[in-house]
Amino acid sequence: HGFAAVKKAAKEQRKRISHLLTEEPSKKNMYPYQVYILFRLYSEIPFRNTFADLNLKDKTKNYVEVPKKGSITFHMVDYKNVKQLGKREIKLSRGATTQLRKFLKYREGLVEHDWLFSGKGGGKLSRPALGKLLHRSTKQLLGKAFGSRLIRVLAATESRKEIEKVAELSKKMLHTPAQTKQYTRRK
């Protein structure tokens, strides 16, 4: 069902864990809660398996900035295309910020590392483990196993009309899409 399936997976996982969130926080319950948070984030930001590389303190790595007020920001300083695109900042929506703040509060004292996500044993979640988690979880929640690559394809497909429209305008103007964007003005 396209990119909406990722949002559906987040909603379904939220239903499945709602009773766990009323219990005392534990590593055992944190893992399924984390699955919900991952789908919530993927429904907004179609990263590769880069969510596994988000740190809460070390600003030399990809890190999460959690201000006292306002949106949480992901600072991406080490990713596949950083040499071509440079460092990036990605602000979360208000809803995603709220959910991530609740998750961060829940995980306090449960893990002994500064990474955003953890494996079942409580250590850092690796990229391959994140991929397996996505495949396993999508199979359980949606009946089809897929990972971050397909999530990225679904996100791009959902925006296909807008992408094609910009590409066509750029072609007519004999520009790259970036150059065409420089010609735009705010209303």
Side-chain angles (χ1 to χ4, degrees):
H1 299 283
F3 194 60
V6 180
K7 294 175 184 175
K8 180 181 175 188
K11 285 181 184 177
E12 180 61 31
Q13 183 66 7
R14 176 73 175 149
K15 286 180 198 172
R16 291 182 181 193
I17 65 161
S18 60
H19 70 282
L20 298 176
L21 301 180
T22 61
E23 299 173 7
E24 188 70 27
S26 68
K27 280 185 187 178
K28 182 182 172 211
N29 291 347
M30 186 180 75
Y31 193 76
Y33 188 8
Q34 174 176 280
V35 172
Y36 161 68
I37 294 298
L38 278 164
F39 279 116
R40 184 71 169 80
L41 292 174
Y42 270 115
S43 70
E44 193 170 305
I45 306 167
F47 276 162
R48 291 178 171 85
N49 287 348
T50 315
F51 284 119
D53 295 335
L54 287 168
N55 196 288
L56 296 170
K57 293 186 179 170
D58 189 350
K59 293 185 176 11
T60 63
K61 299 176 175 26
N62 296 331
Y63 69 96
V64 181
E65 179 185 356
V66 185
K68 290 190 190 290
K69 289 187 177 183
S71 295
I72 290 176
T73 304
F74 292 158
H75 293 268
M76 307 309 293
V77 297
D78 182 27
Y79 60 97
K80 185 176 178 179
N81 294 324
V82 73
K83 289 181 182 174
Q84 293 87 2
L85 302 174
K87 297 176 183 178
R88 295 283 169 106
E89 290 182 7
I90 300 167
K91 281 199 180 293
L92 296 182
S93 69
R94 185 175 177 191
T97 293
T98 301
Q99 293 303 316
L100 190 53
R101 282 183 193 276
K102 287 178 183 177
F103 174 71
L104 291 172
K105 189 170 186 166
Y106 184 92
R107 74 185 285 279
E108 283 178 8
L110 295 178
V111 293
E112 297 174 9
H113 58 77
D114 295 328
W115 299 98
L116 180 57
F117 295 113
S118 304
K120 280 191 175 180
K124 178 191 183 297
L125 182 69
S126 67
R127 283 176 173 230
L130 174 57
K132 289 174 186 169
L133 180 153
L134 286 173
H135 280 268
R136 191 172 48 251
S137 299
T138 53
K139 180 72 172 170
Q140 289 173 352
L141 296 167
L142 302 171
K144 299 246 184 215
F146 59 89
S148 61
R149 178 158 175 17
L150 187 60
I151 291 172
R152 293 166 62 79
V153 169
L154 295 172
T157 301
E158 186 173 275
S159 300
R160 191 179 94 221
K161 289 181 182 171
E162 292 89 357
I163 293 168
E164 288 174 351
K165 194 173 180 180
V166 169
E168 184 62 30
L169 179 61
S170 296
K171 183 178 173 184
K172 288 177 184 175
M173 294 178 75
L174 305 175
H175 290 162
T176 64
Q179 182 65 46
T180 302
K181 186 178 179 185
Q182 288 180 351
Y183 276 70
T184 62
R185 292 196 177 134
R186 297 202 186 268
K187 292 182 180 182

